[in-house]
Amino acid sequence: MTDVRIQPSILAADFANFAHEFDRIATADAAHVDVMDNHFVPNLTMGQPMVERLQSLNKLPLDLHLMIADPDRWAPQFAEMGVFSVTFHLEAATAPATIARNIRAQGARAGVALRPGTPFAQIEELLEHFDQLLIMTVEPGFGGQKFMPETMPKLRQAREWAKRHGSEIWLQVDGGISADTIGMAAEAGADTFVAGSAVFRGEPEAEIARLRQLATEHRHAAH
């Protein structure tokens, strides 16, 4: 497994032709799927039927990002679909460790996400229960937003935590990731990168390769 993972966000894809769009990103490590319920965030995207359909395409592993209320109830149900990974927001959860356990019981990786304003200290004691930590680098809800460099100290805290504990947790970033910003996130400790517009607006295969190379170079420079 590479130490750099590129996961295009299909929020930036052509919703009318997902099979073709998945073919365009075939060299990616996974497809990032944003599920929004218009409650936790002010946007509505797709629900369980659409995720089931995407899973049935069997093109790439699906990395679900649940921007929804009541993940205690819903996250395990999404995991039941056979997806690769399910990430929910700490801010919406009642019992985060229990949700993680229930996700893993379905065979999926368990991830937890933090909004830009949520401090690392709020998840630190629970992080051992998770396979992935998503540091949002924009406010969740809409694609195409500008990267927030002020979230990088939180990413460094997570990297230091992982080093201290010998943890293999994946550190994911999502929001405004492009060739201009991926180096900053890689140097701060990210190893898993969600990019939407940067990938789909041009030639996806070339852009995925470019992002992977830049992230790898900056990660090696940081070590």
Side-chain angles (χ1 to χ4, degrees):
M1 176 68 72
T2 174
D3 64 349
V4 165
R5 290 165 287 272
I6 307 297
Q7 302 181 337
S9 170
I10 64 167
L11 194 61
D14 177 3
F15 277 31
N17 200 355
F18 273 132
H20 173 65
E21 294 289 71
F22 271 63
D23 287 339
R24 294 175 72 210
I25 59 169
T27 55
D29 297 282
H32 186 81
V33 181
D34 291 304
V35 177
M36 308 183 200
D37 64 357
N38 208 27
H39 291 285
F40 180 68
V41 290
N43 195 3
L44 185 66
T45 53
M46 62 186 73
Q48 288 173 302
M50 179 74 85
V51 172
E52 279 190 303
R53 180 71 184 107
L54 294 176
Q55 179 68 9
S56 73
L57 292 174
N58 201 28
K59 298 270 189 181
L60 276 172
L62 299 187
D63 174 56
L64 301 193
H65 177 193
L66 306 184
M67 288 172 266
I68 62 173
D70 199 8
D72 299 73
R73 175 185 178 188
W74 295 111
Q77 294 188 30
F78 278 97
E80 281 178 24
M81 298 179 190
V83 298
F84 175 69
S85 179
V86 178
T87 295
F88 62 90
H89 270 267
L90 179 67
E91 303 88 356
T94 303
T98 300
I99 304 174
R101 187 164 57 249
N102 291 338
I103 291 171
R104 284 171 159 178
Q106 299 298 332
R109 289 171 59 85
V112 62
L114 303 180
R115 295 180 103 138
T118 303
F120 177 72
Q122 288 195 16
I123 191 60
E124 187 170 2
E125 295 299 314
L126 296 170
L127 210 48
E128 64 185 284
H129 298 285
F130 292 92
D131 304 295
Q132 176 169 282
L133 172 64
L134 167 53
I135 303 286
M136 290 298 297
T137 44
V138 299
E139 284 295 341
F142 294 91
Q145 296 185 67
K146 195 170 183 219
F147 178 83
M148 297 170 66
E150 59 267 34
T151 57
M152 292 299 95
K154 183 162 43 175
L155 185 53
R156 291 190 188 94
Q157 286 180 289
R159 180 181 63 186
E160 289 307 314
W161 178 93
K163 279 184 183 174
R164 282 198 312 272
H165 292 81
S167 170
E168 295 186 2
I169 192 168
W170 294 4
L171 300 179
Q172 184 182 52
V173 284
D174 179 6
I177 299 298
S178 68
D180 294 328
T181 59
I182 197 168
M184 196 186 311
E187 286 178 8
D191 51 39
T192 306
F193 305 87
V194 177
S197 317
V199 169
F200 282 102
R201 71 181 169 215
E203 174 43 57
E205 190 172 332
E207 193 59 29
I208 289 167
R210 182 184 181 204
L211 292 172
R212 197 188 301 282
Q213 180 179 358
L214 286 168
T216 300
E217 288 171 358
H218 282 271
R219 274 180 64 77
H220 288 163
H223 298 320

